[in-house]
Amino acid sequence: MSQINKKYNMKKVNHSKISNSSLEILEEKNPLSQSMVWKLQSDFYSNQGPEAWIKGIVPQYITTNPYIANLYAKTVFGYCRDIASCEGFHKNSTIYIMELAAGVGRFTYTFLKRFLHIIENSSLKGLKFKYIITDFAERNVEYWQNHSFLKPYFESGILDCATFDMTRDEELRLRNSGEFLSEGTLKNPLILFANYTFDSLPQDTFYVNEGELYEGLITITSKGDEIDPKDKSILAGLDYYYTDNQIPGVDYYEDSNINDILLYYKDCFEDTAFSMPIIALQCIDRLRKLFHDDIVLISTDKGYRNTSSMNKIYHPFLSKHGSISLTVNFHAMELYFKGLGGKAIHSIYDHENVTMSMFLLSQRSHDFVETAMAYHEIIDSIGPDDFYVIKKAVVPHNKSLTTKEILTFLRYTVWDARTFIEFYNTLLERISDEKDFPKDELVAVIYRVWEHYFPIGEEGDLAYCLGTLLGYFGYDKDAIKLFQTSIEFYGEDAAMNYEIALCFYNMQEFDNSLEYIERSLVLDPNYEQSKNLKSILEEM
């Protein structure tokens, strides 16, 4: 049995012993994709909305940071160069970039920052494209529409949004423009992103032994009073096990292409289970038909990329982090694309956290050289998982790094906000004590970090940290803007209003300074620094 299943203690069990126990069976022997857990999953995301990411319940960092956004932007630019050189390219029609299950919208913003910079400084300047940010949760769509950082992109027309349920939707109605994307209306290809997406969708699981194929049927049980108070996931108080049920024929699914994948695994595996990302494949099938088999998919997720990584494992472990997730069978997706005449490119290395894969399907007589070159440059060097591994190794040693090394590493991360926050106290300690402290370089980094940051009100107020530094260095006007952004996302408090008042005082705008001092003292009449500054202002 593989290491991952040893870790999670996934093993075959004696079902008769379980059925005779005192556990209550909530559902019995259902195909995994039809289990009640997915209704719990859907309800979780609908009810939580943006709070799932703001509160840190659902992980997002590894697939939303500026480094990965930069990798995607370079790959998409290569693809656009290929498409623009195709004979059948419609220059007056729009290229659509669509993000599935975008959550809070951080990747959207960061990608657009990088991609627009590349496009505007290239021979493709003026290329017509539209980024469509989608999710099935209405609360997320409303959040994007009301976010001040996304507003300029909506107003310019390069960003639009839509609700999109990957389990059934075939068309899209764009909220901002009112545009309706349906079959027969589209001329250019679709660029599709799915980051930490397919692992949260319903999957099926199968088992092969002695040349026979079995479906893995899940049974959900209740633990009764045996609930871990620390478990805040949708499976709190629940447990599950699998039963293998032999499949007699070869027409398990309606789609013959997917049945062919089952037969492939039936012939190549022994005493091994494998998952089928059925909803992901069905979603891709609907979208490829909408865009006339002209689609490139880039996906970063925890996944299997070849048969050797799946050998001798058993049915999937449901990972809990508020919601649930399963490892994605990217190899099955590769077989699906190849069955349609497409191809796939996976990362060439085994990865610890996530793998990045690209799937390409096109009816154009084109080699997509630029796309492959850009993507190979990424996967042959430092991909998203490699970046994360390096970052985890470097950050704990930040106090032993020179200031120059810290600032250099921040550039390497493409000015990642989380890394800056982790370095913040070290930098703060050195500003006044370090001889020849590189103030100008730090200020430049501060502006770039903020440029690539999408605030959501999560733990760690970056705007306040950056504003404090800019104020210290005399950039009071820009510091005020950051403090006001902090108030927008975290709310007012006495300290923040004091910082704004101090900046206005330094700029000799004393009336404005007094206004914010009064605001500070309304919130906290005993805030000592505000009381002192008010005394100074009143004596002037």
Side-chain angles (χ1 to χ4, degrees):
M1 191 175 294
S2 73
Q3 192 63 38
I4 188 169
N5 286 316
K6 287 180 181 178
K7 175 181 177 182
Y8 294 122
N9 196 30
M10 291 304 300
K11 57 186 179 182
K12 298 178 185 178
V13 296
N14 187 326
H15 302 139
S16 61
K17 290 182 179 179
I18 293 178
S19 61
N20 292 330
S21 72
S22 60
L23 295 178
E24 178 187 359
I25 294 178
L26 301 182
E27 72 169 13
E28 189 171 15
K29 297 182 180 179
N30 268 348
L32 180 56
S33 66
Q34 299 172 33
S35 172
M36 61 179 284
V37 301
W38 303 111
K39 176 63 166 60
L40 299 176
Q41 181 96 314
S42 176
D43 289 346
F44 169 84
Y45 281 108
S46 294
N47 295 332
Q48 288 287 333
E51 296 297 314
W53 293 271
I54 294 171
K55 293 179 180 178
I57 301 171
V58 175
Q60 63 162 320
Y61 172 75
I62 199 169
T63 58
T64 62
N65 61 72
Y67 188 90
I68 189 174
N70 189 47
L71 299 182
Y72 274 53
K74 289 180 177 179
T75 304
V76 172
F77 178 67
Y79 182 73
C80 288
R81 284 172 62 91
D82 280 330
I83 291 296
S85 68
C86 286
E87 190 173 317
F89 175 63
H90 295 267
K91 295 183 179 179
N92 295 322
S93 296
T94 302
I95 293 177
Y96 290 97
I97 304 172
M98 179 178 176
E99 183 182 353
L100 296 171
V104 79
R106 173 163 283 166
F107 177 85
T108 303
Y109 178 81
T110 314
F111 172 85
L112 285 173
K113 277 284 183 182
R114 297 302 301 165
F115 186 63
L116 281 170
H117 173 76
I118 294 172
I119 286 287
E120 291 300 311
N121 292 279
S122 75
S123 59
L124 293 184
K125 184 176 182 179
L127 179 77
K128 292 186 67 175
F129 79 92
K130 180 170 288 189
Y131 194 106
I132 308 170
I133 178 174
T134 72
D135 203 291
F136 85 95
E138 178 64 28
R139 288 184 60 193
N140 291 343
V141 178
E142 293 173 355
Y143 183 79
W144 308 328
Q145 291 180 300
N146 294 317
H147 199 293
S148 59
F149 279 50
L150 293 177
K151 185 177 180 181
Y153 297 114
F154 279 121
E155 291 177 345
S156 71
I158 64 171
L159 176 63
D160 215 320
C161 60
T163 53
F164 185 75
D165 187 338
M166 286 180 281
T167 65
R168 64 171 186 266
D169 286 346
E170 299 178 354
E171 302 170 322
L172 291 101
R173 172 76 71 180
L174 305 187
R175 292 288 184 87
N176 199 46
S177 64
E179 187 179 357
F180 188 54
L181 305 187
S182 59
E183 194 169 353
T185 64
L186 303 165
K187 297 179 180 179
N188 283 325
L190 172 67
I191 301 166
L192 186 64
F193 297 155
N195 297 329
Y196 266 166
T197 298
F198 296 146
D199 68 333
S200 299
L201 292 179
Q203 302 182 30
D204 283 322
T205 182
F206 301 88
Y207 174 65
V208 177
N209 193 40
E210 297 182 354
E212 299 296 335
L213 182 63
Y214 302 80
E215 60 179 343
L217 303 179
I218 193 168
T219 295
I220 306 295
T221 63
S222 172
K223 297 180 180 179
D225 296 331
E226 297 179 24
I227 299 177
D228 182 355
K230 296 180 181 179
D231 188 351
K232 304 298 182 182
S233 77
I234 62 173
L235 294 184
L238 304 180
D239 207 345
Y240 63 93
Y241 61 86
Y242 295 102
T243 304
D244 297 324
N245 180 53
Q246 187 171 350
I247 301 172
V250 294
D251 56 352
Y252 188 86
Y253 294 110
E254 293 182 6
D255 190 330
S256 61
N257 292 323
I258 302 178
N259 287 329
D260 287 343
I261 300 172
L262 292 180
L263 291 175
Y264 176 91
Y265 288 137
K266 180 175 180 287
D267 292 338
C268 76
F269 281 139
E270 174 59 29
D271 189 24
T272 295
F274 63 91
S275 60
M276 184 65 70
I278 184 61
I279 297 301
L281 293 177
Q282 291 174 347
C283 175
I284 293 166
D285 188 63
R286 294 191 300 273
L287 289 173
R288 73 164 179 91
K289 291 175 180 176
L290 183 61
F291 284 85
H292 312 292
D293 286 336
D294 216 354
I295 180 173
V296 59
L297 164 65
I298 308 175
S299 182
T300 300
D301 220 321
K302 52 182 184 179
Y304 303 116
R305 57 187 175 83
N306 52 42
T307 54
S308 62
S309 62
M310 294 184 280
N311 192 41
K312 299 298 182 182
I313 66 173
Y314 195 53
H315 294 305
F317 172 77
L318 306 183
S319 179
K320 299 190 293 185
H321 34 71
S323 59
I324 59 172
S325 63
L326 291 75
T327 303
V328 182
N329 187 349
F330 278 137
H331 182 261
M333 296 177 66
E334 176 182 357
L335 294 176
Y336 175 79
F337 271 82
K338 285 184 174 179
L340 296 170
K343 62 180 181 180
I345 308 175
H346 302 293
S347 171
I348 60 177
Y349 304 112
D350 288 325
H351 287 300
E352 181 180 324
N353 305 283
V354 294
T355 188
M356 179 177 173
S357 295
M358 181 172 69
F359 307 88
L360 181 63
L361 179 65
S362 179
Q363 300 304 309
R364 303 170 189 267
S365 56
H366 200 287
D367 292 331
F368 294 95
V369 176
E370 298 275 1
T371 310
M373 182 172 66
Y375 192 75
H376 274 294
E377 182 182 352
I378 292 167
I379 64 173
D380 290 346
S381 57
I382 306 298
D385 192 77
D386 305 305
F387 163 76
Y388 188 58
V389 169
I390 292 171
K391 178 187 175 301
K392 287 196 300 180
V394 170
V395 168
H397 302 285
N398 71 86
K399 289 188 178 295
S400 64
L401 299 177
T402 67
T403 302
K404 183 70 174 178
E405 289 168 341
I406 287 175
L407 298 179
T408 299
F409 187 72
L410 284 167
R411 290 199 302 275
Y412 165 77
T413 69
V414 195
W415 301 282
D416 175 49
R418 177 178 290 194
T419 307
F420 186 92
I421 288 289
E422 290 164 332
F423 287 163
Y424 176 71
N425 287 329
T426 299
L427 290 169
L428 205 62
E429 292 168 2
R430 296 181 182 180
I431 288 173
S432 58
D433 299 334
E434 185 173 295
K435 184 180 180 182
D436 298 325
F437 184 86
K439 183 196 77 170
D440 292 340
E441 188 174 350
L442 175 57
V443 169
V445 167
I446 288 170
Y447 282 113
R448 297 304 293 273
V449 167
W450 184 247
E451 179 186 357
H452 294 87
Y453 180 65
F454 184 73
I456 61 175
E458 65 199 315
E459 184 179 356
D461 188 347
L462 179 72
Y464 176 78
C465 293
L466 299 183
T468 301
L469 290 171
L470 288 183
Y472 180 85
F473 291 129
Y475 296 86
D476 294 290
K477 188 174 182 180
D478 290 335
I480 289 171
K481 292 178 182 177
L482 289 171
F483 291 139
Q484 289 172 337
T485 300
S486 175
I487 289 173
E488 177 185 352
F489 288 93
Y490 293 90
E492 282 193 279
D493 63 18
M496 195 64 65
N497 280 295
Y498 166 76
E499 295 289 351
I500 296 174
L502 184 61
C503 288
F504 276 123
Y505 177 82
N506 292 334
M507 295 163 61
Q508 298 187 15
E509 296 184 22
F510 302 122
D511 289 342
N512 288 329
S513 180
L514 186 58
E515 176 189 342
Y516 278 91
I517 282 297
E518 296 292 358
R519 292 187 188 183
S520 174
L521 291 172
V522 165
L523 294 168
D524 183 358
N526 297 315
Y527 195 73
E528 198 65 34
Q529 290 170 293
S530 292
K531 289 166 64 177
N532 292 339
L533 184 54
K534 183 178 181 181
S535 298
I536 293 172
L537 288 166
E538 288 176 340
E539 292 175 1
M540 295 180 66

